[in-house]
Amino acid sequence: MLKTIRVKLNTSSNRSYSIIIGRGILGAAGKALKKLGVGKDLFLITDSNVNRLYGRAVLSSFKRAGFKGTGKSVIKAGEPSKSLASFAKIQNALYGFDRSGDRQITIATLGGGVPGDLGGFVAGTYKRGVSFIQIPTTLLGFVDCGLGGKTAVNFREAKNSIGIFWQPKMVYMDLEALKTLPLRELKSGLAETLKYGVISDPRLFDYLEFNSDRLLALDMAVYEKIIPACVKIKADVTSADERDEKDIRIMLNFGHTAGHAIEAATNYKKYTHGEAIALGMLIAGQIAKELGLFKEADLFRLENLTENLGLPVKLSGCKVSSVLNAMKHDKKFKSGVNRFILPVKIGSCKVVNNIPEKVIAKAIKSRMA
Ligand SMILES: NC(=O)c1ccc[n+]([C@@H]2O[C@H](COP(=O)([O-])OP(=O)(O)OC[C@H]3O[C@@H](n4cnc5c(N)ncnc54)[C@H](O)[C@@H]3O)[C@@H](O)[C@H]2O)c1
């Protein structure tokens, strides 16, 4: 075991949970879950790729640990599955699994942010909420979506627009899963690690700059350092502002306002989530520079590192106007007033409201290929 990081939730201590980080620990997931004293009937939610790679190992680990009924729902891999249609399909499978109505269901989500967000939403709504654990298998899942209790599905062009906060009982990460992750997905996750560097950890940013080659070569020693560092930041932020109410957690949205809009404007097809966030961070950096908040030299470092991590720095496949329109659905915007997280230096960001549309448009335009 590499590390256990605790997420302390203030309102009620029994909702606090541990994030367990290790290598080669997948087969012990059942044993770790058993210690929590959750319901004895385990229902696994995963996607088609991850099921093929890890589904059997995880389910047999639950069986070995004494979980009785073990059901499973497998969604098609990919963002389009984060939908109300998949939600209904899984609820239906759960209903079948729990036909007698007396099962003590615990849900485990296995995979990246798609099965994680969707499965968490199912867990939080089935019979008004059952226990769940997250077993992320993507870098993005390790450092971001597997943590923090935000669950959701997408609706029409609006990302994550239907969902709830529902905290897991445990997050269980086996870093070995990175070894089967496609390189493009690995780079996508690196975008979020870069985000943590910009919003709160200049030393992490330096470390990423210094080790970009090793990161792309999947040097596990480097991942053993950066993943716990990112998890700790997210755990601390979530502990301090569980439900995004105090302008603390909102910092995690750096790059996401333009990033989500880019995903929507390109129909969730051209860019992965991390690639869109990488472009979104550059747009936010550009806006901050225009407003005199962020030095040109820092923007240059951000752009350089983005490029060195193999992420896109130029936007194509959509118009400036479609990105601007998609942005209007951002959950942070209130009564037509926009709200951005902008960097002020490497390691610090702030919330800025009501930025003139022409400044935003200019920043998007500056990124067009
Ligand atoms: N809840 C949150 O706080 C939060 C935060 C950030 C992002 N998200 C959401 O997460 C989603 C993106 O997450 P993602 O990038 O993990 O997407 P994903 O779940 O679609 O996974 C990406 C791809 O990698 C494959 N995969 C996963 N693990 C693998 C492994 N170990 N080996 C081989 N292939 C593997 C999947 O099958 C899929 O094809 C988005 O929907 C985003 O909105 C949520």
Side-chain angles (χ1 to χ4, degrees):
M1 204 74 65
L2 275 178
K3 221 175 182 110
T4 299
I5 293 170
R6 192 88 182 137
V7 180
K8 296 191 191 97
L9 299 172
N10 294 334
T11 44
S12 145
S13 60
N14 67 6
R15 289 186 316 108
S16 298
Y17 61 93
S18 292
I19 299 163
I20 294 165
I21 308 172
R23 285 182 64 184
I25 59 170
L26 206 58
K31 213 165 140 194
L33 182 57
K34 198 75 190 168
K35 286 190 196 146
L36 300 177
V38 291
K40 60 184 173 35
D41 297 299
L42 205 287
F43 190 86
L44 184 72
I45 299 173
T46 187
D47 77 20
S48 44
N49 293 335
V50 180
N51 183 44
R52 214 170 32 246
L53 291 161
Y54 303 112
R56 187 179 300 207
V58 169
L59 266 191
S60 46
S61 144
F62 290 131
K63 282 182 187 149
R64 273 199 310 279
F67 284 94
K68 277 199 175 149
T70 43
K72 180 165 80 168
S73 191
V74 181
I75 53 165
K76 194 168 168 223
E79 187 72 28
S81 288
K82 222 174 100 174
S83 64
L84 279 179
S86 306
F87 173 80
K89 212 170 134 198
I90 300 173
Q91 290 285 6
N92 210 30
L94 251 179
Y95 182 81
F97 179 65
D98 192 19
R99 193 170 292 276
S100 58
D102 61 358
R103 292 231 194 231
Q104 294 165 26
I105 307 269
T106 297
I107 287 180
T109 67
L110 172 70
V114 169
D117 282 12
L118 171 65
F121 186 39
V122 170
T125 48
Y126 184 70
K127 290 189 169 170
R128 298 205 183 93
V130 295
S131 297
F132 95 112
I133 65 155
Q134 299 255 43
I135 309 178
T137 61
T138 60
L139 179 56
L140 191 69
F142 290 153
V143 299
D144 197 2
C145 28
L147 327 160
K150 280 190 177 175
T151 76
V153 293
N154 305 325
F155 187 64
R156 301 175 72 122
E157 73 270 40
K159 219 29 216 161
N160 299 327
S161 59
I162 303 178
I164 54 167
F165 284 95
W166 191 246
Q167 299 293 348
K169 292 282 180 205
M170 172 177 82
V171 181
Y172 193 82
M173 305 180 179
D174 185 344
L175 305 195
E176 289 291 311
L178 291 180
K179 291 188 175 163
T180 55
L181 194 65
L183 182 60
R184 187 172 177 203
E185 298 299 339
L186 187 80
K187 291 176 184 170
S188 269
L190 287 172
E192 297 282 352
T193 64
L194 195 165
K195 175 190 85 179
Y196 289 113
V198 179
I199 63 172
S200 78
D201 191 345
R203 285 176 57 205
L204 173 64
F205 193 93
D206 294 347
Y207 187 80
L208 296 171
E209 270 180 331
F210 195 70
N211 289 290
S212 56
D213 290 348
R214 290 172 75 193
L215 285 161
L216 291 180
L218 197 65
D219 181 336
M220 292 300 284
V222 185
Y223 285 94
E224 282 184 19
K225 274 203 167 36
I226 65 163
I227 292 172
C230 295
V231 168
K232 180 83 176 65
I233 297 171
K234 177 121 189 200
D236 288 349
V237 166
T238 309
S239 299
D241 183 14
E242 182 187 354
R243 296 177 69 91
D244 232 341
E245 290 161 340
K246 300 180 191 158
D247 276 6
I248 300 172
R249 188 169 178 156
I250 198 174
M251 294 301 160
L252 298 171
N253 273 302
F254 169 53
H256 285 58
T257 307
H260 281 163
I262 289 168
E263 283 185 281
T266 51
N267 297 318
Y268 300 101
K269 287 197 179 108
K270 186 168 168 58
Y271 297 107
T272 63
H273 177 71
E275 288 167 352
I277 298 313
L279 287 161
M281 289 190 283
L282 289 172
I283 290 169
Q286 189 78 32
I287 295 173
K289 196 202 96 183
E290 287 291 322
L291 297 178
L293 297 168
F294 194 47
K295 285 193 197 123
E296 179 142 26
D298 283 340
L299 181 58
F300 182 72
R301 275 183 82 192
L302 178 59
E303 177 163 0
N304 246 359
L305 181 53
T306 307
E307 200 158 23
N308 289 343
L309 293 177
L311 290 158
V313 293
K314 287 287 174 195
L315 172 61
S316 62
C318 59
K319 293 191 197 134
V320 173
S321 59
S322 45
V323 178
L324 282 172
N325 281 338
M327 238 175 229
K328 293 185 178 135
H329 291 284
D330 193 290
K331 290 188 284 301
K332 292 185 292 305
F333 291 15
K334 297 226 158 53
S335 322
V337 175
N338 65 46
R339 200 149 206 243
F340 279 78
I341 315 307
L342 299 182
V344 289
K345 62 179 180 186
I346 302 293
S348 174
C349 283
K350 71 177 205 175
V351 183
V352 181
N353 296 321
N354 218 0
I355 298 167
E357 188 165 301
K358 64 175 190 311
V359 174
I360 304 168
K362 192 175 165 197
I364 300 170
K365 210 167 165 195
S366 75
R367 284 289 137 206
M368 296 305 278

